[in-house]
Structure formats: C-alpha cells, structure tokens
Amino acid sequence: MMGVLALAVLLVVVVDRFHGHSSLAFAAAIVLLVIANAPMLRFNCPACGKNAFFRGIFVVPWPNRVCTSCGHDLDRSAT
C-alpha cells in the first residue's frame, strides 16, 4: 500500500513538473489508490462479517488479529 501511495504521489509530481497542474493526474492517482486498496474490503471476519482493517472510523494498513466486534480469532486457520 505504501508503494502505491508513493507511486501516486510521484505521478502527480511528475505530471505537475512537466505539464503543469492537471486534474487528470489527481484523478489517476485516486483511481490507482482505490484499485490498490480494494482487496482490503474483502477481508472480513468469518463469524460476524466486520472488516478487519477498520478500527472504529479509521482504516489502518494492517488487519486485526482478533475481531473487534465478536472476538473471533482471525489469525486461526479457516479449516
């Protein structure tokens, strides 16, 4: 995720440097970040369905080991 963020910032900086301010560069950076972060939305607790990356209203780049909603151990194998 940090690599994609760096790539998005670099894209905006390079376009700004060589072509001036462009809303298309910002739009491309946003689309790139949304696509890169989409898999995080599918990592949910198998017991209650709460997403493991959300901490209240905040989203963090690493998942919980234990579900904050139901206490299910997300580190355990799903066998």
Side-chain angles (χ1 to χ4, degrees), residues 22 33 39:
S22 171
L33 289 169

Side-chain angles (χ1 to χ4, degrees), residues 29-39:
I30 290 169
V31 168
L32 183 66
L33 289 169
V34 167
I35 290 170
N37 289 317

Side-chain angles (χ1 to χ4, degrees), residues 11-25:
L11 171 72
V12 171
V13 170
V14 168
V15 169
D16 190 52
R17 173 79 172 122
F18 292 109
H19 298 289
H21 181 74
S22 171
S23 295
L24 292 177

